[in-house]
Amino acid sequence: MEELLGGSVNRVVRAGDTVRRLTGPWTPAVHALLDHLAERGFTGAPRAHGVDERGREILDHVPGEVPDYPLPAWALADDVLAGVARLLRDFHDATAGFPADPGLTWYFPAVRPAEVICHGDVAPYNCVFRDGRPVAFIDFDTAHPGPRVWDVAYAAYRFVPLSDPLQLDGPPVDGQARRLRLFADAYGLDPAGRDALIDTARARLAHLVRHMREQAAAGHPGFASHLERGDDRFYLTDDEHLVRHRDTFRRALGVPPPR
């Protein structure tokens, strides 16, 4: 077996054409979602194959390249950004008919209005590329019902990216604004989603910091290591960046100014 790199919270190993991961109370919900996606013909996600003799879930290994930070230059190309947005739209559309089952347990509680099933962590490290083209999302553990913009805002934060350029090498603010509009257009985000996107991105960062700190306090070593290297402070700095440039980003999205 081969241990796959990049996971700081879960240990993932490859066995042939499959990967094996520890299960959790949310695993039945994730497998039901992956089965639904397969039935709908959505190819941008691994298929689930139950649990092995050691109690680990069995998933398809999706071949391709998964970038991590610092991102390679090709991962910041406009066509990559637009491709991720279109893949996310296709994923959301495929989940829209997922049958609601109050008996399913998700990693995170549902966020209202529950329009679709959100992936929960759409980021470069959870996206598989082939020849520079996004082909699949992986690691659906954090999937949960929610509004489209809940996923779109976080994906835009990660892929534009909407980070303070002083702490993450990426486009300046005007370039971020242009790429944010490109992402929203490629997704086909509606006016209400555009109006909510920046505030939702801030809510996602607050949610992420709160979750990291709660998990670290509960003794989770992966999240404790995140705090030790200052990830919470990184995200809080990015939140300040979103506050400073909120109006610029909203104008780029075509949101009319308040009267």
Side-chain angles (χ1 to χ4, degrees), residues 99-142:
D101 183 349
L104 290 176
T105 298
W106 301 95
Y107 187 91
F108 290 125
V111 178
R112 303 298 175 189
E115 301 168 333
V116 296
I117 304 298
C118 293
H119 177 282
D121 193 11
V122 176
Y125 50 77
N126 281 331
C127 190
V128 179
F129 293 82
R130 297 191 199 114
D131 299 322
R133 183 174 65 88
V135 296
F137 298 127
I138 55 175
D139 193 355
F140 282 76
D141 275 7
T142 55

Side-chain angles (χ1 to χ4, degrees), residues 33 35 47 100 113 142 153 165 170 173-174 177 259:
L33 171 62
D35 288 346
R47 294 194 177 192
T142 55
V173 173
D174 58 347
R259 295 181 178 180

Side-chain angles (χ1 to χ4, degrees), residues 105-208:
T105 298
W106 301 95
Y107 187 91
F108 290 125
V111 178
R112 303 298 175 189
E115 301 168 333
V116 296
I117 304 298
C118 293
H119 177 282
D121 193 11
V122 176
Y125 50 77
N126 281 331
C127 190
V128 179
F129 293 82
R130 297 191 199 114
D131 299 322
R133 183 174 65 88
V135 296
F137 298 127
I138 55 175
D139 193 355
F140 282 76
D141 275 7
T142 55
H144 58 285
R148 291 174 182 267
V149 71
W150 189 247
D151 248 3
V152 172
Y154 189 74
Y157 165 73
R158 287 293 190 179
F159 278 95
V160 168
L162 293 173
S163 286
D164 187 327
L166 294 178
Q167 66 173 2
L168 182 69
D169 187 22
V173 173
D174 58 347
Q176 291 180 7
R178 181 189 65 81
R179 283 170 57 81
L180 179 61
R181 176 62 179 260
L182 173 63
F183 191 86
D185 287 351
Y187 180 89
L189 191 62
D190 64 13
R194 291 169 190 256
D195 183 47
L197 194 150
I198 297 302
D199 291 340
T200 303
R202 294 192 62 214
R204 288 299 314 265
L205 291 178
H207 177 271
L208 176 57

Side-chain angles (χ1 to χ4, degrees), residues 10-179:
N10 296 313
R11 182 172 182 264
V12 183
V13 298
R14 179 178 176 182
D17 293 331
T18 68
V19 296
R20 312 295 173 98
R21 310 171 75 239
L22 295 178
T23 59
W26 54 85
T27 300
V30 171
H31 285 197
L33 171 62
L34 294 178
D35 288 346
H36 173 81
L37 294 174
E39 292 170 0
R40 291 290 301 270
F42 178 73
T43 60
R47 294 194 177 192
H49 303 284
V51 177
D52 69 12
E53 69 283 354
R54 296 174 58 180
R56 301 172 302 182
E57 65 174 340
I58 307 171
L59 302 166
D60 285 341
H61 174 261
V62 182
E65 185 173 0
V66 179
D68 206 345
Y69 299 100
L71 295 177
W74 63 262
L76 293 170
D78 282 358
D79 59 343
V80 166
L81 182 69
V84 171
R86 289 190 291 268
L87 183 63
L88 182 59
R89 179 59 187 251
D90 289 345
F91 163 65
H92 284 163
D93 288 351
T95 72
F98 184 75
D101 183 349
L104 290 176
T105 298
W106 301 95
Y107 187 91
F108 290 125
V111 178
R112 303 298 175 189
E115 301 168 333
V116 296
I117 304 298
C118 293
H119 177 282
D121 193 11
V122 176
Y125 50 77
N126 281 331
C127 190
V128 179
F129 293 82
R130 297 191 199 114
D131 299 322
R133 183 174 65 88
V135 296
F137 298 127
I138 55 175
D139 193 355
F140 282 76
D141 275 7
T142 55
H144 58 285
R148 291 174 182 267
V149 71
W150 189 247
D151 248 3
V152 172
Y154 189 74
Y157 165 73
R158 287 293 190 179
F159 278 95
V160 168
L162 293 173
S163 286
D164 187 327
L166 294 178
Q167 66 173 2
L168 182 69
D169 187 22
V173 173
D174 58 347
Q176 291 180 7
R178 181 189 65 81
R179 283 170 57 81

